[in-house]
Amino acid sequence: MTTVMGQSNSSMTMTGRVVLYSHDTFGLGHLRRSRALASALTQSGVAESAIILTGSPVAGRFTFPPAVDHVRLPGVKKLADGTYASQTEGMDIEATTALRSALITSTIEQYEPDLLIVDKEPTGFRGELSDTLDRLRRNRRTKIVLGLRDVLDEPDVLAAEWDRKGAVAAAEAYYDEIWVYGMRSVYDPTQGLPLSDAARARTVWTGYLRRSIVDAAEVPDTPYILVTPGGGGDGAAMVDLVLSAYEQDPDLGPHAVLVYGPFLTGEVRERFEARVDALGGRVTSTGFDSKIEPLFAAAEGVICMGGYNTFCELLSFDSRAIIVPRTRPRLEQWIRAHRAEELGLVRNLDRFREGLTTNAMVEAIRALPNQKRPSEAGADGLLDGLEVVIARAQALMQQPLNDAAE
């Protein structure tokens, strides 16, 4: 394990260009993590500019710092059977993947980055990064980093997935460092993976990525609970449970501010809106809000799912929280929420323990004001991720090319 101390911004010098790859087949997590990293690297002066390669259909609805831009890759969607389809009419998934791969290669060849940070998938979506990684490793001009969130999946499930995708071989062959955006004392996402001692030696545990209020926004001037399913695409069950709690208990408070997310739409959202209206102002709702940080900061508490970015916001804004993690198709959110509860950071509403019942949600909301805040369990010591990323990026880009990992 590599240990790196953060450096102050005043010691940073402008050193190069950064590309961040974010495959984004579903949700907002990869894009939001990449945006946080790109913002930190450019604002610190370590990178003069950064480009995010993203498949997110809502990338254009986020604000980016002046030195950060994005290239939108053709979108794909995951079907109920686990396969993928193109969001571009008339193109099959093979043609879409080939187009995405060509755009990635062209962008990197023209932009000539000093550092490439790949989020989560060592070979990219359906292997679309493989050709680019081969070229970069042969040229040896660009340092390459694999960035992993704190939890990926159950060890056995992850090992089988990485074996199927050739991900272990790619991590060994192409990456100068592996950054884990978490703490080993909380969870090791690489357990169960047959990584070599050399790959583990170049693994850096950064800590979680602290969030701050970037864009000011109006918030309610009366006490409220924030309810957020993140991107919202798989958050209907959690929203239903919260609304059921307020419907069952007319004295439940404070009032809730529900932010649906951009992917909770259509008839499901229309039915939720009718229920919200019937609650007479005890719950208010809004759609996608790219400036959600101020709502976190001012809330009395938060009810959410267990995604990585939301968890970082809970820690950063010291929020009392009830997490309702999804358990399909991955146990990632449940693992994170379970460990966070063990550490005293959050309350995990666990379908495997008390069950996802309306009574359980009512009781959790009523107990929320008496929960400890994350800071009372030592959360401040978990949030050095951006500082460590800045220091490691600078060190890598200043490192002679022949010092890179083989």
Side-chain angles (χ1 to χ4, degrees):
M1 182 178 71
T2 305
T3 302
V4 181
M5 300 300 294
Q7 298 180 14
S8 66
N9 289 353
S10 61
S11 67
M12 300 300 175
T13 57
M14 200 81 74
T15 56
R17 302 173 177 178
V18 179
V19 167
L20 301 98
Y21 166 82
S22 169
H23 68 284
D24 290 298
T25 58
F26 183 72
L28 296 175
H30 306 290
L31 172 62
R32 295 188 64 217
R33 185 160 51 248
S34 295
R35 184 182 69 148
L37 293 167
S39 298
L41 290 170
T42 54
Q43 291 172 2
S44 69
V46 164
E48 58 187 341
S49 62
I51 291 177
I52 300 173
L53 298 168
T54 175
S56 173
V58 296
R61 297 168 67 179
F62 284 91
T63 58
F64 295 90
V68 179
D69 207 341
H70 69 280
V71 172
R72 170 78 161 86
L73 303 174
V76 297
K77 55 188 176 183
K78 193 171 187 177
L79 305 179
D81 62 0
T83 62
Y84 290 90
S86 174
Q87 290 183 335
T88 303
E89 294 294 331
M91 290 189 72
D92 61 24
I93 191 62
E94 286 76 18
T96 299
T97 304
L99 177 56
R100 286 168 57 107
S101 182
L103 286 170
I104 292 167
T105 298
S106 176
T107 300
I108 288 179
E109 286 182 347
Q110 296 298 317
Y111 185 63
E112 296 185 336
D114 299 283
L115 176 65
L116 169 65
I117 303 173
V118 174
D119 192 77
K120 182 180 176 287
E121 297 286 348
T123 61
F125 173 68
R126 291 173 60 90
E128 66 186 1
L129 274 181
S130 296
D131 288 346
T132 294
L133 292 171
D134 276 333
R135 289 189 178 94
L136 292 178
R137 184 47 71 215
R138 287 197 303 269
N139 294 340
R140 303 198 65 78
R141 180 190 183 281
T142 301
K143 300 299 174 63
I144 311 173
V145 169
L146 175 63
L148 302 177
R149 65 187 182 225
D150 61 337
V151 182
L152 296 171
D153 205 340
E154 297 174 275
D156 291 347
V157 174
L158 180 66
E161 178 185 336
W162 275 43
D163 180 65
R164 184 176 69 254
K165 294 178 176 180
V168 171
E172 298 280 358
Y174 297 127
Y175 289 92
D176 296 293
E177 287 188 354
I178 300 170
W179 296 348
V180 179
Y181 306 125
M183 301 289 287
R184 193 170 189 174
S185 60
V186 177
Y187 192 79
D188 180 357
T190 69
Q191 60 182 294
L193 293 178
L195 294 172
S196 68
D197 290 343
R200 293 193 179 278
R202 57 180 186 266
T203 297
V204 178
W205 300 81
T206 69
Y208 290 89
L209 306 179
R210 188 184 296 274
R211 304 306 164 85
S212 58
I213 297 176
V214 178
D215 300 302
E218 293 186 3
V219 300
D221 54 9
T222 57
Y224 66 92
I225 293 172
L226 173 64
V227 181
T228 170
D234 54 1
M238 187 206 77
V239 173
D240 174 71
L241 195 60
V242 173
L243 293 180
S244 296
Y246 277 86
E247 290 164 343
Q248 176 173 297
D249 187 344
D251 297 321
L252 190 62
H255 89 269
V257 174
L258 167 60
V259 180
Y260 287 109
F263 304 118
L264 205 168
T265 57
E267 293 182 0
V268 174
R269 179 166 161 183
E270 289 174 3
R271 290 194 293 270
F272 285 151
E273 283 292 274
R275 294 170 66 183
V276 167
D277 290 342
L279 285 167
R282 295 173 59 224
V283 177
T284 56
S285 62
T286 185
F288 173 57
D289 193 338
S290 64
K291 302 176 182 179
I292 199 169
E293 292 88 354
L295 286 171
F296 269 93
E300 296 292 303
V302 178
I303 304 173
C304 58
M305 298 177 69
Y308 177 85
N309 292 285
T310 301
F311 184 60
C312 288
E313 284 156 341
L314 297 178
L315 299 182
S316 299
F317 298 113
D318 205 18
S319 304
R320 298 183 178 95
I322 303 164
I323 295 184
V324 187
R326 70 165 182 246
T327 55
R328 298 177 182 175
R330 298 180 182 274
L331 276 181
E332 168 224 339
Q333 291 192 1
W334 182 87
I335 293 169
R336 180 179 296 113
H338 177 72
R339 280 293 294 137
E341 185 178 63
E342 286 185 334
L343 295 169
L345 299 169
V346 303
R347 163 76 183 273
N348 176 23
L349 200 62
D350 191 342
R351 70 167 61 246
F352 302 123
R353 187 177 59 200
E354 63 263 61
L356 301 184
T357 67
T358 302
N359 285 339
M361 178 58 78
V362 170
E363 291 175 6
I365 294 174
R366 286 197 170 278
L368 193 56
N370 298 318
Q371 274 187 216
K372 290 183 177 180
R373 293 186 180 275
S375 61
E376 297 178 75
D380 288 345
L382 304 177
L383 286 163
D384 292 332
L386 292 176
E387 290 83 357
V388 174
V389 163
I390 289 168
R392 286 313 309 152
Q394 184 184 45
L396 278 174
M397 289 191 288
Q398 292 180 343
Q399 188 182 68
L401 294 178
N402 59 5
D403 285 349
E406 295 295 337

